[in-house]
Amino acid sequence: MSRRHIDITPELMLRAYRAGLFPMAESRGGDKLYWLDPERRGIIPIDAGFHLSKRLLRTTLSGPYVATADVDFPGVIAGCASPAPGREDTWINPEIESLFLSLHRMGHAHSVEVWEGDRLVGGLYGVVLGAAFFGESMFSRARDASKVALVQLVARLRLGGFTLLDSQFLTEHLAQFGAHEIPRADYKRRLAAAVMTPADWISRPYPAMLEAEIRALRASGEA
């Protein structure tokens, strides 16, 4: 994995994502950002191969949570940057937060929020270029909240015609959904095609369409 320190702007970030790189800080309190270009890249399947259990399907469609998109982007990134059990430090420092807030205002960064009543209990955010969604981070303050956010994200990506969901790294949490690693060269071939493909980020899909897509997601994982 290559890594080097540079000064980063929102415009430079977009060029970097197009080239297959992404920035991280060493810690929440770190003052340096680095480009990362992993030899193996984590991706999450969109069209087929996404694993959605019956229990999580029920929780997503009729559980205690309500999901939204782009309603509280600052709250989501703050949640991702906050310490949590098993994650006492994060790579999201104040400069990273500021850069992603700028990308959100530019229309290139989006969030999915999960609410329990009026309390934000989970969510995720990432960058959109063409038909590629670059997942950055997620958080959860209640059981299955981040999982519901991911299911909601994938359903929206399917509705919008996206072809690539980049998770950067493979974790046990993501592997349960069918996430896997591919070589860097393979990833960059997929990326080049995806960023040139038109797609629509759908913040507020019709509820019936979204529910149908979530059910189709469950069916595609069983095929």
Side-chain angles (χ1 to χ4, degrees), residues 1-222:
M1 180 184 299
S2 62
R3 186 176 72 170
R4 60 192 178 90
H5 173 239
I6 67 167
D7 294 325
I8 302 178
T9 65
E11 294 76 16
L12 186 57
M13 285 180 72
L14 294 177
R15 292 201 297 271
Y17 278 102
R18 287 183 181 274
L21 290 79
F22 57 91
M24 294 183 74
E26 288 188 334
S27 66
R28 176 67 175 162
D31 60 356
K32 294 181 180 180
L33 304 185
Y34 300 90
W35 289 132
L36 276 75
D37 187 14
E39 293 183 3
R40 298 186 64 80
R41 195 69 161 244
I43 61 170
I44 301 172
I46 298 175
D47 289 334
F50 185 89
H51 301 159
L52 175 56
S53 69
K54 289 182 180 179
R55 185 187 65 79
L56 184 56
L57 175 66
R58 289 193 301 269
T59 301
T60 302
L61 295 180
S62 57
Y65 306 129
V66 172
T68 58
D70 290 336
V71 168
D72 190 2
F73 186 93
V76 169
I77 195 168
C80 292
S82 299
R87 190 191 68 184
E88 283 65 37
D89 197 5
T90 74
W91 56 269
I92 305 171
N93 69 358
E95 184 177 1
I96 287 280
E97 284 192 70
S98 177
L99 286 165
F100 276 101
L101 288 169
S102 295
L103 288 176
H104 178 62
R105 289 190 292 269
M106 295 164 62
H108 283 291
H110 299 283
S111 60
V112 174
E113 304 87 18
V114 176
W115 305 86
E116 189 171 26
D118 60 358
R119 177 172 170 249
L120 183 64
V121 295
L124 56 80
Y125 74 97
V127 173
V128 165
L129 283 173
F133 187 96
F134 306 87
E136 287 295 319
S137 188
M138 60 174 59
F139 79 101
S140 183
R141 296 175 181 145
R143 183 183 181 188
D144 291 337
S146 64
K147 295 179 181 180
V148 170
L150 181 59
V151 173
Q152 290 278 343
L153 170 67
V154 174
R156 283 169 165 79
L157 297 183
R158 286 165 61 98
L159 284 171
F162 284 76
T163 61
L164 178 65
L165 175 49
D166 171 15
S167 67
Q168 299 178 347
F169 302 108
L170 180 64
T171 65
E172 288 186 13
H173 178 73
L174 295 177
Q176 66 185 297
F177 296 100
H180 56 280
E181 290 182 329
I182 60 175
R184 179 164 52 199
D186 187 10
Y187 168 77
K188 292 193 175 181
R189 283 193 295 268
R190 298 189 192 193
L191 172 64
V195 297
M196 296 301 293
T197 301
D200 296 313
W201 170 256
I202 302 176
S203 293
R204 295 168 180 82
Y206 291 113
M209 292 177 61
L210 184 60
E211 179 176 340
E213 202 61 52
I214 291 171
R215 293 190 183 278
L217 183 59
R218 160 72 181 171
S220 70
E222 293 180 313

